[in-house]
Amino acid sequence: MAMAKHLLRRKELKKSSPFSEVMQKWLKDGHDTTLAGLSQVFSEKSFAIIFLLLMALPALPIPTGGVTHVTEIITMLLSLELIIGRKTIWLPKRWAGINVRKTLSGKAGSRLIGVIRWFERFSRQRGGDMLAQQWVVSIIGLVVLLFTAAAFIAPPFSGLDTLPALGVVLISLGLILEDVLFVLAGILIGVTGIGVELALGKALFSGFKHFF
């Protein structure tokens, strides 16, 4: 009964409060702040929220040295689930038990909430009904898969994973805030990142052939 009341309060809060506030409260006093617990509280937006959390680090304009590969693999797995139309997330037990509160402890969590609040200032509910359609969700899942794969194969310490990952972050925010403009901006940034990655790869390959 206590758990049912707790979930009911969460649902009511989601309807009346900005997402940043709901997220902050969940990180502060949620009973289960694992990825599995997140899916129970945020239900239909769990995919987008997990994409946002997992791709925030590779989206930073700093070399990550390949340490984000695990988060990118999880993101690709969940994007496949989105493509086939799953409504709830499924993760292996080890990954489902990742503690979001622990991962975002200290300044990391505060900065993420601050970024979300900044975007909330400019967001409007534009195209929310369209974003809820299954065929659109499947296409977005495919886009997230491609952008994450591009971030995954980017050479370590190159910084080339930044733009594709940032594209996923913006798409995720667009789904969470129900703003199609954010989704389109994320797609544009991600495509630009892939273009830069391909152009640089082609230039390096041409230089390598010329050298030999």
Side-chain angles (χ1 to χ4, degrees):
M1 181 64 71
M3 180 58 71
K5 290 181 178 179
H6 172 73
L7 292 177
L8 181 59
R9 287 196 300 270
R10 291 299 182 189
K11 290 179 180 179
E12 291 173 348
L13 183 60
K14 286 160 63 178
K15 293 179 181 179
S16 59
S17 303
F19 169 70
S20 58
E21 183 178 331
V22 177
M23 192 70 184
Q24 187 175 40
K25 285 182 176 294
W26 178 72
L27 287 172
K28 183 179 179 180
D29 52 31
H31 293 294
D32 182 1
T33 54
T34 63
L35 291 181
L38 182 150
S39 67
Q40 293 176 3
V41 173
F42 294 98
S43 59
E44 72 279 359
K45 293 187 177 180
S46 298
F47 284 95
I49 295 170
I50 293 178
F51 291 157
L52 171 65
L53 295 174
L54 295 181
M55 298 302 289
L57 180 58
L60 294 174
I62 57 174
T64 58
V67 299
T68 57
H69 280 354
V70 172
T71 64
E72 290 162 353
I73 290 173
I74 297 174
T75 300
M76 286 189 282
L77 172 61
L78 292 179
S79 66
L80 288 172
E81 296 179 17
L82 208 59
I83 291 170
I84 65 175
R86 281 190 63 92
K87 301 298 183 183
T88 57
I89 67 168
W90 175 88
L91 286 171
K93 188 174 181 180
R94 181 178 179 182
W95 290 348
I98 293 176
N99 193 315
V100 180
R101 177 190 291 163
K102 184 177 180 180
T103 304
L104 295 178
S105 61
K107 294 182 178 180
S110 298
R111 288 178 179 175
L112 179 61
I113 296 299
V115 169
I116 295 172
R117 283 177 175 161
W118 187 86
F119 278 102
E120 283 177 337
R121 292 169 52 195
F122 303 99
S123 70
R124 302 290 184 273
Q125 288 191 340
R126 293 171 283 212
D129 292 338
M130 183 182 70
L131 293 176
Q133 296 185 33
Q134 183 54 54
W135 68 272
V136 175
V137 172
S138 295
I139 291 175
I140 290 175
L142 178 60
V143 171
V144 170
L145 176 63
L146 292 175
F147 288 178
T148 307
F152 182 83
I153 65 175
F157 304 106
S158 67
L160 292 175
D161 57 341
T162 300
L163 288 180
L166 182 59
V168 174
V169 168
L170 282 177
I171 290 171
S172 303
L173 283 170
L175 293 175
I176 294 167
L177 302 175
E178 300 179 13
D179 192 337
V180 70
L181 291 185
F182 282 13
V183 174
L184 294 176
I187 292 174
L188 178 61
I189 290 174
V191 169
T192 301
I194 292 177
V196 171
E197 195 170 337
L198 290 175
L200 184 59
K202 182 178 179 181
L204 289 175
F205 181 73
S206 297
F208 185 78
K209 283 181 62 178
H210 180 75
F211 181 78
F212 287 97

